[in-house]
Amino acid sequence: MRASALLFASVALFSGATGCASYVDFTQELRDQHNLKAADLKNLQFYNSHPITLRREVERGGRQVTSGHKLLVIAGKQIEEVVIEEHTPGVVVGVADSQIEVSFEEGSSMKFSLRGPEPLTDPVVAGGRFATPPDPFPGNNGPRDLEPPRERFLGTGNFWVLPAGTGSISFQGLSWDAIGQTADAHLVISTESLEEVEEERTVLKGRKL
């Protein structure tokens, strides 16, 4: 049995033990060990691990909100909201060494960036205007200042939707505030689709006289 097949078996066993037999975190380590190229990633079924909620203020009397988006009124302000429910299927439309671009609906996409095994910022919660930005001085919050720099996790981390050091996301060419569990959202994949990619990859052993 090939090493990659053994790795997949261990991944499937782990996901089953945690009660989530269909999904597993997509990490750089998994990407490297399976030697997944850009073409392979585009054949995998990706999902978001947590709900993604984006909000931005729109001018009254301006253009209407994008089709499928919600229009809210919060504290007298007109807010456009985009919600991507947990485990919404997405397809890869762009690949870089430390970034994967995923589309959850035709005509739009968002980038997931590689960093450590934990969210770099605290989850953004509703309040104030309509979102509270992450703490700009997290080192003042006690034990957190003892954590090692996040850079040390590069190469083995997850792909997170929230860019490092910010509470906003670029989507459809605009800047949006990240709300609720968005800070926890990272890429996961279907274990079934990973198995299919492995099965499609055939290695010829050659012929001897």
Side-chain angles (χ1 to χ4, degrees):
M1 183 180 292
R2 294 179 300 160
S4 59
L6 287 171
L7 175 62
F8 173 78
S10 64
V11 167
L13 179 62
F14 172 78
S15 60
T18 58
C20 183
S22 297
Y23 308 104
V24 63
D25 285 358
F26 183 79
T27 64
Q28 182 63 31
E29 183 179 23
L30 186 66
R31 179 181 177 183
D32 291 341
Q33 291 181 338
H34 282 266
N35 193 28
L36 296 174
K37 307 300 183 183
D40 297 322
L41 297 184
K42 292 180 180 180
N43 286 326
L44 287 173
Q45 183 67 71
F46 282 85
Y47 304 84
N48 51 312
S49 64
H50 293 73
I52 297 174
T53 304
L54 309 178
R55 289 179 184 172
R56 72 178 190 91
E57 184 177 352
V58 296
E59 296 182 2
R60 290 186 178 276
R63 71 168 185 82
Q64 294 184 351
V65 299
T66 305
S67 175
H69 298 182
K70 294 181 180 179
L71 181 62
L72 309 175
V73 177
I74 301 177
K77 298 182 182 295
Q78 189 166 283
I79 306 300
E80 183 177 3
E81 182 182 76
V82 178
V83 177
I84 303 175
E85 299 291 349
E86 179 179 353
H87 293 161
T88 296
V91 295
V92 171
V93 294
V95 179
D97 288 341
S98 60
Q99 202 169 69
I100 297 177
E101 188 172 357
V102 176
S103 175
F104 294 100
E105 65 175 356
E106 190 170 353
S108 69
S109 62
M110 56 181 57
K111 296 177 180 179
F112 290 75
S113 301
L114 175 65
R115 50 186 169 85
E118 299 293 339
L120 189 63
T121 59
D122 293 327
V124 181
V125 296
R129 181 165 66 95
F130 56 86
T132 302
D135 185 356
F137 304 104
N140 295 333
N141 294 333
R144 289 180 66 90
D145 62 354
L146 300 178
E147 294 181 358
R150 292 297 182 188
E151 287 76 6
R152 70 178 294 178
F153 296 111
L154 290 179
T156 58
N158 290 25
F159 287 82
W160 304 86
V161 71
L162 191 62
T166 181
S168 62
I169 293 174
S170 177
F171 179 63
Q172 296 183 326
L174 300 169
S175 180
W176 302 72
D177 286 333
I179 308 298
Q181 293 181 282
T182 305
D184 296 320
H186 54 276
L187 288 178
V188 298
I189 57 172
S190 161
T191 54
E192 290 83 0
S193 67
L194 179 59
E195 185 176 29
E196 290 172 2
V197 168
E198 289 294 335
E199 289 178 350
E200 290 175 359
R201 190 181 293 158
T202 302
V203 179
L204 299 181
K205 298 181 179 180
R207 299 176 61 186
K208 294 183 179 180
L209 293 175

